[in-house]
Amino acid sequence: MIQKISRQKASHQILEQIKQNISNGTYPIGEKLPSENVLADAFGVSRVPIREALGVLEASGIITSRQGGGRRVIDHSILSKYEPIVMEIARPQEIDSLLEMREVIEHEAAAIAALRRTHEELLTIENAHQAFILATKQNKNIGHEEDYQFHRSIMVASHNPFFVRILDNMHELYLGVLMYSLSQNKGREMETERVIAEHEAIVESIRQQDHDETSHRMRLHLTNVRGKLKRLQQKIS
């Protein structure tokens, strides 16, 4: 379904509608997109904003153009591409599977870290938590890099190198999910405060070396992330 739009920020509005049509299956993988002329007529604009919107999709690896063959939607699995725009149109099952994997690994890694962490490792975790607060509250960033370092510092404190290796091998994928998730909190101070509070509860339980409470707090944190993204995906679809 295409709606007429205003000229203001036309390319952005066009991009959002095409993304939605790709996400809901109107333009499935392998499908040839309508031509620039057809899209321009449908949106009620010139071909310039159409090209701009399609250029963003092409640069993100969501569509491809072929000489004389038009533009087609290509496989944009989050397993192979990490751009935030891919997260926005990724299949809900794919994102949910990734977050399920995070829950399984990270809640147990955190619980082990609570028992094994050294004083220096606790300080590193606390500093990573403070860096996230600084990034989100004072510097007004989404804090995805700081969030990643927070979770990684907990993995390191588990003293299990395989936990850290798994995280490092999926570094870009983790960052993509964190960027996508935390970007939804922009302008929503209560959501940011909730994430900070959840991090603080995790830090405190690690500080107290409470295995069960740390497991519970980390699982709760990641379950909340998973639930938020599920609700977002439902709105998009």
Side-chain angles (χ1 to χ4, degrees), residues 172-223:
E172 294 296 333
L173 187 55
Y174 262 64
L175 276 181
V177 172
L178 290 172
M179 186 184 299
Y180 179 47
S181 174
L182 293 171
S183 67
Q184 309 306 314
N185 296 344
K186 292 191 72 173
R188 303 170 65 193
E189 189 172 342
M190 288 184 63
E191 280 295 312
T192 299
E193 291 290 348
R194 182 182 60 77
V195 174
I196 291 173
E198 289 174 0
H199 281 191
E200 179 58 46
I202 293 168
V203 172
E204 180 58 28
S205 61
I206 293 175
R207 189 180 291 124
Q208 298 301 322
Q209 295 192 290
D210 189 327
H211 173 282
D212 292 343
E213 184 66 10
T214 302
S215 175
H216 167 69
R217 291 296 179 179
M218 181 61 82
R219 185 183 287 278
L220 178 64
H221 173 54
L222 295 176
T223 298

Side-chain angles (χ1 to χ4, degrees), residues 92-221:
Q93 312 93 288
E94 203 173 23
I95 290 181
D96 192 56
S97 293
L98 173 61
L99 295 177
E100 181 180 61
M101 182 274 293
R102 282 193 66 188
E103 283 184 31
V104 170
I105 294 177
E106 289 199 52
H107 88 90
E108 188 58 32
I112 294 171
L115 298 178
R116 296 178 180 173
R117 59 85 178 163
T118 64
H119 177 68
E120 289 74 19
E121 287 164 345
L122 175 61
L123 289 178
T124 300
I125 293 169
E126 291 173 337
N127 288 338
H129 174 51
Q130 292 302 317
F132 178 74
I133 294 175
L134 179 66
T136 55
K137 300 190 73 172
Q138 294 188 29
N139 296 339
K140 303 300 182 182
N141 297 328
I142 61 173
H144 61 290
E145 291 276 4
E146 291 79 8
D147 197 350
Y148 176 82
Q149 291 302 325
F150 173 72
H151 285 271
R152 189 181 188 282
S153 66
I154 294 173
M155 291 282 203
V156 170
S158 74
H159 291 208
N160 186 322
F162 290 98
F163 285 145
V164 181
R165 178 64 64 85
I166 289 172
L167 192 66
D168 286 346
N169 285 347
M170 301 181 67
H171 173 257
E172 294 296 333
L173 187 55
Y174 262 64
L175 276 181
V177 172
L178 290 172
M179 186 184 299
Y180 179 47
S181 174
L182 293 171
S183 67
Q184 309 306 314
N185 296 344
K186 292 191 72 173
R188 303 170 65 193
E189 189 172 342
M190 288 184 63
E191 280 295 312
T192 299
E193 291 290 348
R194 182 182 60 77
V195 174
I196 291 173
E198 289 174 0
H199 281 191
E200 179 58 46
I202 293 168
V203 172
E204 180 58 28
S205 61
I206 293 175
R207 189 180 291 124
Q208 298 301 322
Q209 295 192 290
D210 189 327
H211 173 282
D212 292 343
E213 184 66 10
T214 302
S215 175
H216 167 69
R217 291 296 179 179
M218 181 61 82
R219 185 183 287 278
L220 178 64
H221 173 54

Side-chain angles (χ1 to χ4, degrees), residues 38-55:
V38 170
L39 287 173
D41 288 342
F43 283 113
V45 297
S46 71
R47 292 170 59 186
V48 174
I50 298 294
R51 287 175 182 166
E52 290 175 357
L54 294 176

